[in-house]
Amino acid sequence: MYKGIGGSSGYGIGKIVIIKNDMPVYEIKSPENKENEIKRFLQAVDKFIEKTTKIAEHMRKTAGEKNAEIIEGHIIMLSDPFMQDEIKDKINSGMCAEEAVDKVCEQFIEMFTMTDDELTVQRATDIKDIRLRMLKILTGDRDIDISEVPKGSIIVAKDLTPSMTAGIVKENVEGIITQAGGFTSHSAILARALEIPGVFSVDDITDNARDGMEAVIDGKEGCVILNPSKEEITEYTTKKEKYLKNKEELNKYRNKATKTADSIEIELFGNIGKPEDAKNVKDNDGEGIGLFRTEFLFMENTQIPSEEEQFEAYKKTAVMMDGKEVIIRTLDVGGDKNIPYLGMEKEDNPFLGFRAVRYCLDRKEMYKIQLRALIRASVFGKIKIMIPLVTCVNELREVKVLVEDIKADLDRENIPYDKNISVGVMIETPAASEIADLLAKEADFFSIGTNDLTQYTMAVDRGNSKVAYLYSVYNPAVIRSIKRIISAAANENIIAGMCGEAAADPLLTPLGLKEFSVNASSILRTRAQIAKWTKAEADKVADEVMKCATQEEVYEILKRYER
């Protein structure tokens, strides 16, 4: 049995198909005509954009808007004038287009990889994908068409690029196994969106697996069995049938209120990246939007989006949700979200640097445009404002002052808005967790971002396989942090929700959250899980977990009480 990171739940039984996507070989030579060579490069860019647009359109239909954005991001990166100018400069210095693309991409890959931050490393994965596909276009090599794998396949690869994963035909693939990647890698995100079982970061799997070899995959526990015995096949066939039956039974929770077993009402929302995604949340019976990431408005523009552009996007979402709650996170730029026209300087460690609310409060005029658009849109629904990466009370106070100033301006202009619009904070840093009691006195609500909270608390790069064992929300340090946040909110009678990946983890249901915000596909499963617990039962498990000394002990107890 091989162990890895369970990145997409479910069970798969099938035959292995090894996917190799080797770099094409090209001849290093100086171009006879540099102008023509630049033209050849730009023609390859046009072809890349055309092919990538088609891939994104396919992904939009199969896995939703948010996942299509991963692919569309490649167009944005390659279209970046800075990147293109670097490649043109290399061609003018005497390199052929292939070598120029290769060298410039390698520079970006090294830059992103050196940050030792998982999300930034994902950018390196994107650049590797761009480089590979551009070189194939320039050399005339054929792209791998992963859609051609036969029914019953378990795909095995060193890593799956986003463009490769996007081509998967869900009905043909029993599972995905990769040697690299983790829970938040692009391949894992897309596997979850396609509801294909996936295990990632499995050491030496490409050396030990063979084409046609039978395999079993457990995407929940992160296990892979090569050449399983008859008994193991029977065992996992039973598990798979039970898993699929449970999924089917979730439909009985559709159009039902989210309640605990003792009838305590809980809010169950969905996460979105664009106004159009709100439809997916409604289709999956979500009770509101718990996290609307606004970066798309900025990333899809070549300049700061105007107040009207932003207003229309927020208004559209509020109207689509028809009076249901919509929590909109203000611009979370920086870290892995570099928007060229904002002119952000390169930092050695951008995830600990000038980003999110820090950047916005330093660019108040720009920030006020977004806040004004949000407040104006609030008259069309139940919009709430959420501030990302808060680390001190002063940041919350500064934003609230800006909100009050904007309200005063709107009053003078006789523009309607929700006079009681809520301003809350995203708790995703150890600093915010430590002062949760102080923040709770001044914030209208909390939303826990477990992805960053776990990473920052454990000082662990999520994508680094060497320390992946430490990146766990079950670690006592993280569990205690979450409980502290929940208690601080309860003491001040404000809602504490969760919008990170852990919100959909059934083992964490007993911790005492009042609001869960998950991917649309996880809404019904989360509602079913909440309905299995009474408050007294959940409190008992939470108290027991708080006494644990290791993440193994925490996990063991949560598994013991799993329902």
Side-chain angles (χ1 to χ4, degrees):
M1 181 181 287
Y2 294 81
K3 286 290 289 180
I5 296 170
S8 183
S9 289
Y11 303 92
I13 303 166
K15 294 190 181 296
I16 284 173
V17 176
I18 304 287
I19 299 293
K20 293 181 180 177
N21 208 11
D22 298 325
M23 288 278 288
V25 177
Y26 61 88
E27 183 184 352
I28 296 176
K29 59 181 181 180
S30 294
E32 293 178 6
N33 185 309
K34 293 173 182 175
E35 198 171 301
N36 286 345
E37 194 68 3
I38 289 174
K39 189 179 293 183
R40 189 167 77 91
F41 158 66
L42 293 174
Q43 286 171 345
V45 170
D46 290 341
K47 191 169 184 180
F48 176 94
I49 292 172
E50 180 186 343
K51 292 174 77 171
T52 305
T53 300
K54 288 179 181 176
I55 293 170
E57 286 170 358
H58 170 75
M59 181 53 68
R60 190 170 281 109
K61 292 173 186 173
T62 59
E65 185 69 37
K66 178 186 169 187
N67 295 291
E69 288 172 17
I70 294 173
I71 307 300
E72 288 173 332
H74 292 190
I75 296 174
I76 296 169
M77 289 182 196
L78 187 58
S79 301
D80 186 341
F82 177 75
M83 189 178 198
Q84 289 201 10
D85 287 346
E86 287 281 298
I87 293 169
K88 290 174 187 175
D89 287 346
K90 293 252 188 270
I91 293 172
N92 282 323
S93 72
M95 289 185 186
C96 62
E98 289 88 343
E99 186 180 9
V101 167
D102 198 357
K103 295 292 185 187
V104 170
C105 285
E106 187 59 35
Q107 289 172 13
F108 279 91
I109 290 164
E110 287 179 4
M111 179 179 71
F112 289 134
T113 304
M114 283 171 61
T115 63
D116 288 331
D117 182 276
E118 189 270 339
L119 289 176
T120 307
V121 170
Q122 289 304 327
R123 297 293 292 274
T125 302
D126 289 322
I127 299 294
K128 287 177 184 176
D129 197 354
I130 291 168
R131 175 175 66 178
L132 179 65
R133 294 179 58 230
M134 277 293 290
L135 289 177
K136 286 192 171 189
I137 291 169
L138 287 164
T139 59
D141 274 20
R142 181 174 174 269
D143 261 340
I144 282 186
D145 189 352
I146 209 166
S147 67
E148 295 176 352
V149 301
K151 194 173 181 63
S153 295
I154 290 180
I155 292 170
V156 174
K158 284 189 176 177
D159 197 6
L160 286 178
T161 64
S163 61
M164 289 164 65
T165 314
I168 286 175
V169 176
K170 176 182 172 180
E171 292 74 21
N172 292 348
V173 179
E174 281 284 310
I176 296 169
I177 309 168
T178 65
Q179 198 159 299
F183 190 82
T184 55
S185 64
H186 288 331
S187 47
I189 291 168
L190 293 173
R192 288 195 293 276
L194 294 167
E195 298 183 325
I196 296 172
V199 181
F200 306 90
S201 199
V202 181
D203 288 342
D204 302 322
I205 191 65
T206 54
D207 293 330
N208 294 292
R210 297 286 181 271
D211 273 319
M213 180 184 284
E214 197 156 23
V216 165
I217 177 172
D218 180 342
K220 184 178 181 183
E221 299 295 333
C223 299
V224 174
I225 302 173
L226 300 181
N227 287 323
S229 65
K230 287 182 180 179
E231 292 77 14
E232 286 170 328
I233 290 175
T234 300
E235 177 190 349
Y236 280 91
T237 299
T238 302
K239 285 184 176 181
K240 181 179 179 182
E241 288 171 353
K242 184 179 178 182
Y243 176 79
L244 293 174
K245 184 182 177 184
N246 288 343
K247 275 184 67 177
E248 187 64 31
E249 288 178 351
L250 291 179
N251 282 319
K252 72 181 183 183
Y253 290 95
R254 191 174 292 279
N255 300 319
K256 299 280 181 68
T258 304
K259 293 182 179 180
T260 61
D262 50 348
S263 298
I264 297 172
E265 292 199 2
I266 304 292
E267 295 177 330
L268 181 55
F269 299 155
N271 299 332
I272 67 170
K274 284 187 176 183
E276 293 77 14
D277 295 345
K279 182 180 183 299
N280 199 21
V281 172
K282 289 185 75 175
D283 290 345
N284 282 277
D285 206 31
E287 297 161 12
I289 303 297
L291 171 61
F292 178 175
R293 306 172 183 89
T294 59
E295 290 72 47
F296 84 95
L297 280 169
F298 293 76
M299 296 177 83
E300 290 188 349
N301 263 290
T302 55
Q303 59 186 1
I304 295 170
S306 69
E307 180 183 325
E308 286 307 310
E309 285 179 89
Q310 296 191 56
F311 166 73
E312 289 298 330
Y314 307 144
K315 173 186 171 183
K316 181 178 180 180
T317 307
V319 170
M320 284 180 72
M321 292 311 295
D322 194 24
K324 294 180 178 179
E325 199 163 299
V326 178
I327 299 175
I328 303 180
R329 184 178 71 187
T330 61
L331 181 63
D332 188 4
V333 71
D336 66 329
K337 306 180 191 81
N338 181 27
I339 301 172
Y341 65 78
L342 292 181
M344 300 184 75
E345 295 180 7
K346 181 182 177 299
E347 296 179 283
D348 290 336
N349 195 337
F351 280 85
L352 298 179
F354 189 49
R355 58 168 291 210
V357 70
R358 301 168 183 178
Y359 177 86
C360 290
L361 287 175
D362 190 70
R363 303 286 191 274
K364 283 192 173 71
E365 290 309 310
M366 179 199 76
Y367 198 28
K368 284 173 75 173
I369 291 171
Q370 180 175 39
L371 291 172
R372 184 176 159 102
L374 280 168
I375 296 168
R376 282 177 57 202
S378 68
V379 76
F380 295 94
K382 194 177 179 182
I383 285 177
K384 293 184 175 183
I385 298 170
M386 181 160 68
I387 314 165
L389 205 79
V390 168
T391 55
C392 55
V393 173
N394 283 347
E395 290 166 336
L396 171 58
R397 288 176 178 172
E398 279 194 70
V399 175
K400 289 176 76 173
V401 166
L402 292 178
V403 167
E404 291 306 314
D405 288 347
I406 291 166
K407 285 182 177 180
D409 289 342
L410 294 176
D411 285 338
R412 282 190 291 272
E413 298 168 41
N414 291 318
I415 296 174
Y417 63 91
D418 177 5
K419 305 285 184 183
N420 299 310
I421 188 168
S422 295
V423 179
V425 295
M426 193 166 180
I427 308 283
E428 52 189 327
T429 65
S433 171
E434 286 290 337
I435 60 166
D437 59 326
L438 302 177
L439 288 168
K441 294 180 188 300
E442 305 192 34
D444 294 318
F445 64 91
F446 284 167
S447 188
I448 305 169
T450 50
N451 299 359
D452 273 342
L453 182 62
T454 303
Q455 176 171 249
Y456 288 135
T457 299
M458 297 308 299
V460 164
D461 170 4
R462 283 180 263 173
N464 186 335
S465 59
K466 298 292 185 185
V467 292
Y469 67 97
L470 287 170
Y471 180 77
S472 172
V473 73
Y474 306 126
N475 192 286
V478 182
I479 290 289
R480 286 174 175 235
S481 187
I482 291 170
K483 281 299 293 177
R484 182 192 302 118
I485 296 161
I486 293 170
S487 296
N491 289 340
E492 296 298 331
N493 201 30
I494 66 170
I495 292 285
M498 183 185 287
C499 58
E501 292 284 354
D505 185 341
L507 296 186
L508 298 175
T509 306
L511 291 185
L513 291 163
K514 296 297 184 184
E515 179 246 293
F516 295 73
S517 190
V518 299
N519 291 332
S521 60
S522 298
I523 288 171
L524 291 180
R525 188 174 71 247
T526 304
R527 180 174 293 146
Q529 191 63 28
I530 291 168
K532 296 174 182 177
W533 292 91
T534 65
K535 184 179 186 303
E537 291 166 341
D539 288 348
K540 181 183 175 183
V541 174
D543 289 343
E544 198 170 333
V545 162
M546 290 295 284
K547 298 171 185 174
C548 294
T550 68
Q551 67 189 46
E552 290 78 15
E553 291 173 19
V554 170
Y555 183 74
E556 183 184 332
I557 287 173
L558 292 176
K559 281 294 287 182
R560 187 191 311 157
Y561 290 107
E562 185 179 12
R563 300 181 176 183

